Amino acid sequence: MTQHPLDFLFHPRSIGLAGVSADLSRPNLAVRFIESLRKFGYKGQIYPLHPSGGEVYGMKIYANVKDVPGPMDYVISAVSARYTPQLVADCAVKGVKAVHLFTSGYSEIEDEIGGKLEAEVLKIARKGGVRLIGPNCMGIYCPSSGMTFAQDFNDQHGFPKRPGPLGLISQSGGNSIYAVRAGSGRGVFFSKVISYGNAADLNETDFLEYMADDPDTRIIGMYIEGVKNGRRFMQALKRAAAIKPVIINKAGATDGGARACATHTSAVAGSAAIWQGLLKQAGAIQVDSMDELIDMSVTLLRLPLPAGKRAVVIGTGGGLGVESADQIISAGLKLPLLTPSIRKEICSIYGTEAGSMYRNPVDAPPFGGIENTVKAVSVAAASDKVDLLILHFAFDIWAMVSRSEPRYFFTEMIEGIQSKVKKPMAMVLHYTTELAAKQSADELQKKWVDMGLPVYHSIARAASAINRYIHWSRHFKGKKP
Amino acid sequence: MTQHPLDFLFHPRSIGLAGVSADLSRPNLAVRFIESLRKFGYKGQIYPLHPSGGEVYGMKIYANVKDVPGPMDYVISAVSARYTPQLVADCAVKGVKAVHLFTSGYSEIEDEIGGKLEAEVLKIARKGGVRLIGPNCMGIYCPSSGMTFAQDFNDQHGFPKRPGPLGLISQSGGNSIYAVRAGSGRGVFFSKVISYGNAADLNETDFLEYMADDPDTRIIGMYIEGVKNGRRFMQALKRAAAIKPVIINKAGATDGGARACATHTSAVAGSAAIWQGLLKQAGAIQVDSMDELIDMSVTLLRLPLPAGKRAVVIGTGGGLGVESADQIISAGLKLPLLTPSIRKEICSIYGTEAGSMYRNPVDAPPFGGIENTVKAVSVAAASDKVDLLILHFAFDIWAMVSRSEPRYFFTEMIEGIQSKVKKPMAMVLHYTTELAAKQSADELQKKWVDMGLPVYHSIARAASAINRYIHWSRHFKGKKP
């Protein structure tokens, strides 16, 4: 297998950091990048750069790119925008292959000067054979090579050292950071994440083409505000979406949002309706937020494809059951009425139907016992009218039990259910308003994620992701992730 | 002022608990009610009841209602449904004014027998002059008289002892419990909460009429699955909504939801479109979830009415800014472009526009300094194009700062802003995926709630509640809450 022409971006032999200060008493973002890379386990050489020279963390600070002794493949710039034309020119001379412009102050600002500066830097880069990431972005997170732009390396809600199948391309830095943390907490790990900002040189289409061919990436996620070349993007998208699932969060659906895109990353957002049509036609899965992007990834990676749309919903809480029914139907799934014989069977397990509902949604009696609930869920799952189960666990709706009791119920219950139920099963942890409830939900999420289960935070969001999954799978001819 | 005929429900001189067991080694829900009432500070006499007699917590258990020595105004029944006809008959003889049937197993179950039993109990109650709450419900929470159905009495996310202006009428017990906890965490306290279940006797309309006239209730909230008498309900609603704000969460908008209503509380849900039209016509504020009901209460109680719909959104996070713009426009609010002179003023405060947006949304530079952000917000707020501010605070989008730093920024920032900004200001705490972030958000919420501010958990939900508030206020001629 030949290497993709952009593969070098993710495996630099050495990284230079421009804009490092030797004075550690004041926050310096280039220094934070160095700390992050070292702690994350980046194995290559790191070269701090600053005209004043000096030392940082025992490393020599080079006054000029040209002074760096060894080869330098990649440079992260945290210097002011006005110094970047010279920096990129020096990098070209040095043979640097790519510069990540963390620096902002280019086409995203309203004054003409920003756009001109961006054009100037681009011209210098092109002439010198240097590729640019950014400006105005976080750059690359790639666990397999130790590249990162954050400092919290835990597997749960952090930037894990553990790699995974999701390749994320995000025009927004904050959204990419949030997605990694939200994803890792739910068992979604990343092959590569690129926050690419203004996209002066390398843009969404370049990265999409790369991800399509990247063997480490089994799902592609994108947050985009606008695209540089619509025709080329759509061609790349069609090709990528035929190979692997591509989930797209396209921002700027309203005039206000579109205007915000322009001032954020100088992107031209385009009409929401046109985008919707084009994305569907290309076979991409459209979502409306980073949370939905993660929901979709959880579904693709962790929910076995249901044979159909018929869901049975089980949990405690009557009002919740009613709400869930509305949400499941609105999302496009079906809620088959359980047959009288199944209802009677569940009824006989619990001994009564008083205060409960067994027709689907199933409102399990709060004090019905763990063993009985495991049995009842198994009976509902066995119905040939049922394609999947949505099990929901609410915390702050219990009045007569202590805060911790639901957690113990739920833990035992799921251990019993998982060994008995063979149909796809989505877990929803919700109705957490109190901090202790949030903490309990977090603990259960960790447990269930480790068991390989897909965990969601609302019935509406679970149902919506599952419905999209089923629709997408009907047209997708590529390899399932 | 004369007493409302239902006022006795909320101030019983004594409460009997039917179904108490002397054996404390097994969970008994009637005993939990006793514990709750005692801990909550109910001042009247409590009479435990059970045919076997005995003692519980040093109190005599009376074998029969008739044996109770003093007057008994109110009885909570946790006995099996089949014993309730006799219980209610005994209560009538004793002169009990109201029985709360916590007991379930009536019209909500599918078998005919449940419906028949409910009709029988109702007949006995009517004949004996006893009013019924329920069956199949949690009953009454009334902080001023010490009535409650939960045991967590803290002011934040619990069932507070502190009373407040929201009167809640909920067909679902779980939804009423969740609403009290979600509300109290956000500074919304309750005059009275009634969970009324199947509504065999007293129904949504009776309670709505009561709340309309109750001087302690300044806002009415309702969760309803169906109504017993549509015409009477609409008359009561029109009258109530002319006096005070009435927020209604009507469940069962889809066929599946409507079917779930029938099995939950035997309610006939009716068409969603018809409901929407009727509620609007009556002047009620319609919401779609208990969270939205609390959002709306927060807005009515804590946000001064904005002079118009023009919002400025300020926070850190470019992708978030774009998202917020879309959500604000979609909710119906306006997002005026800040004038070039204001943009320049903000630009000069921060010294640069690099990597930020100042046109609205305002994406404040993450390291722009607290004092500068206070100044920038004041400048934006002073614009005569701006009617209200939405300030948002995201936690898990920060890569280069420690988890706790945003919390300190945000705390100081708000103290500065509150003294300088005179326009209505909505606070959004969001993008919390990690537990430490949730904890920080919770702490800030507590602080800001104590400062009197309205706090929300997403920009979309804040904007939606504020837009509804503005529309409602244009037609409302009653007294503002």
Side-chain angles (χ1 to χ4, degrees), chain B residues 55-192:
Chain B
E55 262 198 15
V56 66
Y57 291 130
M59 291 183 285
K60 179 180 163 63
I61 300 174
Y62 294 92
N64 195 295
V65 168
K66 299 168 201 162
D67 305 337
V68 169
M72 188 164 62
D73 290 345
Y74 190 92
V75 166
I76 299 172
S77 159
V79 303
S80 289
R82 65 182 180 280
Y83 300 129
T84 52
Q86 187 60 52
L87 175 71
V88 173
D90 291 347
C91 284
V93 172
K94 174 69 185 168
V96 171
K97 294 178 192 160
V99 174
H100 156 213
L101 291 162
F102 173 70
T103 306
S104 52
Y106 300 88
S107 62
E108 85 280 5
I109 66 174
E110 207 175 356
D111 302 306
E112 257 181 33
I113 193 168
K116 276 189 186 158
L117 191 59
E118 191 169 306
E120 188 191 343
V121 171
L122 178 61
K123 199 172 153 192
I124 295 167
R126 289 263 158 91
K127 199 176 151 199
V130 178
R131 301 309 305 258
L132 299 178
I133 298 176
N136 185 25
C137 67
M138 299 304 297
I140 291 176
Y141 159 67
C142 175
S144 66
S145 66
M147 294 173 84
T148 186
F149 46 79
Q151 307 211 344
D152 48 330
F153 305 131
N154 56 318
D155 268 17
Q156 204 189 7
H157 300 306
F159 272 69
K161 293 190 179 179
R162 169 178 169 184
L166 179 53
L168 181 68
I169 304 163
S170 171
Q171 196 151 11
S172 155
N175 278 5
S176 71
I177 294 164
Y178 179 74
V180 174
R181 289 177 178 152
S184 64
R186 294 166 70 190
V188 171
F189 298 94
F190 295 80
S191 55
K192 278 122 187 171

Side-chain angles (χ1 to χ4, degrees), chain A residues 29 32-33 102 104-105 108-111 136 138 149-152 154 156-158 172 174-175 177-178 181-182 223 225 251-254 256-261 263-264 288-290 318-323 325-326 329-330 335-337 343 353-357 359-361 363 367 395-403 405 431-435 438-439 442, chain B residues 29 32-33 102 104-105 108-111 136 138 149-152 154 156-158 172 174-175 177-178 181-182 223 225 251-254 256-261 263-264 288-290 318-323 325-326 329-330 335-337 343 353-357 359-361 363 367 395-403 405 431-435 438-439 442:
Chain A
L29 297 178
R32 297 229 168 158
F33 266 108
F102 173 72
S104 53
E108 85 280 6
I109 67 174
E110 207 176 356
D111 301 307
N136 184 24
M138 299 304 297
F149 45 80
Q151 306 211 346
D152 48 330
N154 55 319
Q156 204 190 6
H157 300 305
S172 155
N175 279 3
I177 294 164
Y178 179 74
R181 290 177 178 153
Y223 168 80
E225 299 185 350
T254 62
R259 192 182 75 213
C261 289
T263 51
H264 181 217
D288 291 321
S289 68
M290 296 317 281
L320 274 185
V322 172
E323 191 182 275
D326 281 337
I329 303 287
S330 301
L335 205 66
L337 193 63
R343 187 182 71 81
E353 193 172 3
S356 296
M357 330 194 279
R359 287 158 42 121
N360 192 20
D363 168 25
F367 301 96
F395 290 82
D396 283 324
I397 61 153
W398 301 72
M400 302 259 175
V401 299
S402 80
R403 287 268 187 220
E405 276 177 77
Y431 275 59
T432 58
T433 189
E434 207 256 349
L435 194 61
K438 290 187 211 291
Q439 194 161 353
D442 212 58
Chain B
L29 297 178
R32 298 231 168 157
F33 266 108
F102 173 70
S104 52
E108 85 280 5
I109 66 174
E110 207 175 356
D111 302 306
N136 185 25
M138 299 304 297
F149 46 79
Q151 307 211 344
D152 48 330
N154 56 318
Q156 204 189 7
H157 300 306
S172 155
N175 278 5
I177 294 164
Y178 179 74
R181 289 177 178 152
Y223 168 80
E225 299 186 350
T254 64
R259 192 182 74 212
C261 288
T263 52
H264 182 217
D288 292 321
S289 68
M290 295 318 281
L320 273 186
V322 171
E323 191 182 275
D326 281 336
I329 303 288
S330 301
L335 205 66
L337 193 64
R343 188 181 70 81
E353 194 172 4
S356 295
M357 330 194 279
R359 288 159 38 122
N360 192 18
D363 168 24
F367 302 96
F395 290 83
D396 283 324
I397 62 153
W398 301 71
M400 302 258 173
V401 300
S402 79
R403 287 267 185 220
E405 275 177 79
Y431 275 59
T432 58
T433 189
E434 207 255 350
L435 194 61
K438 291 188 211 286
Q439 195 161 356
D442 213 59

Side-chain angles (χ1 to χ4, degrees), chain A residues 242-296:
Chain A
I243 306 173
K244 39 188 106 171
V246 183
I247 311 164
I248 298 190
N249 177 15
K250 170 68 185 70
T254 62
D255 288 348
R259 192 182 75 213
C261 289
T263 51
H264 181 217
T265 55
S266 75
V268 181
S271 141
I274 290 176
W275 267 100
Q276 205 175 345
L278 289 173
L279 294 181
K280 197 179 168 182
Q281 204 188 318
I285 307 170
Q286 194 178 4
V287 295
D288 291 321
S289 68
M290 296 317 281
D291 280 322
E292 284 187 12
L293 191 150
I294 297 302
D295 288 339
M296 204 61 235

Side-chain angles (χ1 to χ4, degrees), chain B residues 11 21 49 54 67 73 77 137-138 145 204 246 276 315 338 360-361 388 428 461:
Chain B
H11 302 94
S21 161
L49 301 161
D67 305 337
D73 290 345
S77 159
C137 67
M138 299 304 297
S145 66
E204 58 290 335
V246 183
Q276 205 175 345
L338 291 177
N360 192 18
L388 76 146
V428 177
R461 276 172 48 194

Side-chain angles (χ1 to χ4, degrees), chain A residues 77-88 101-109 113-118 120-121 124 135-136 198, chain B residues 352-355:
Chain A
S77 158
V79 303
S80 288
R82 65 183 181 279
Y83 300 129
T84 51
Q86 188 59 52
L87 175 72
V88 173
L101 290 163
F102 173 72
T103 307
S104 53
Y106 299 89
S107 62
E108 85 280 6
I109 67 174
I113 193 169
K116 277 188 186 156
L117 191 60
E118 191 169 306
E120 188 191 342
V121 170
I124 295 166
N136 184 24
N198 297 9
Chain B
T352 175
E353 194 172 4

